[in-house]
Amino acid sequence: MSSGVSTGVPRRALLASCLLAGALTGCTSSGGAGAGGRAAAGAAGLRRRAARASTGLLARYDATAAAHPALAGPLTPFRDIVAAHLSALTEADTGGAGPEGAAPEVPGEASRAVSELATAERQAADERMGALAEAPPELARLLAALAAAGAVSAHLLNEVRA
């Protein structure tokens, strides 16, 4: 690739981590009778919050790629992972995540823009980890896997250079 942007991380390693996260989240549909309607509503709320965070991350990736075209290629695998997370979170939800609002502002300096993406990934991962105690077991497994994948993405984003 002669895009002038190097991540320092082999694309296969990134894709393998995505596949691992996908394998960890294989069963995401809700099943079994829980503690009733309130527990199901709570789980649905957790899913929607996590999906909104993923929607916001997607918007941030898109805005960063638009503002810094040289980063579009290296950021594509990361964006694809977030899109897969959103899909896993919304597969049982008919309401969807909904738009997050206006497009996020992107710093003019490419390295700062990537740093803000890493921070957003870390923040989403931390929020998902924080929600584990409230989540039913199946959703907790999904959130834990998504949090782990987000933490890995945040770490790998530090390798992206413009």
Side-chain angles (χ1 to χ4, degrees), residues 4 6 60 142:
S6 171
R60 184 170 293 281
L142 173 62

Side-chain angles (χ1 to χ4, degrees), residues 36-111:
R38 205 162 42 159
L46 289 173
R47 266 185 188 272
R48 278 192 298 276
R49 279 197 306 271
R52 274 194 303 275
S54 290
T55 300
L57 276 171
L58 280 176
R60 184 170 293 281
Y61 276 106
D62 291 343
T64 301
H68 302 284
L71 291 173
L75 293 180
T76 296
F78 296 99
R79 186 201 182 281
D80 291 347
I81 291 170
V82 174
H85 294 175
L86 181 59
S87 178
L89 287 164
T90 59
E91 77 175 12
D93 186 12
T94 57
E100 188 65 12
E105 290 188 32
V106 177
E109 186 180 325
S111 62

Side-chain angles (χ1 to χ4, degrees), residues 5-6 64 67-68 70-71 75 106-119 122 154 157-162:
V5 180
S6 171
T64 301
H68 302 284
L71 291 173
L75 293 180
V106 177
E109 186 180 325
S111 62
R112 209 168 122 231
V114 171
S115 177
E116 286 190 11
L117 278 172
T119 299
R122 253 187 312 282
L157 279 166
N158 291 319
E159 304 293 323
V160 173
R161 301 283 179 250

Side-chain angles (χ1 to χ4, degrees), residues 5-46:
V5 180
S6 171
T7 64
V9 178
R11 179 171 242 158
R12 287 183 183 173
L14 180 61
L15 292 176
S17 68
C18 179
L19 290 174
L20 175 61
L24 291 173
T25 62
C27 298
T28 59
S29 61
S30 56
R38 205 162 42 159
L46 289 173

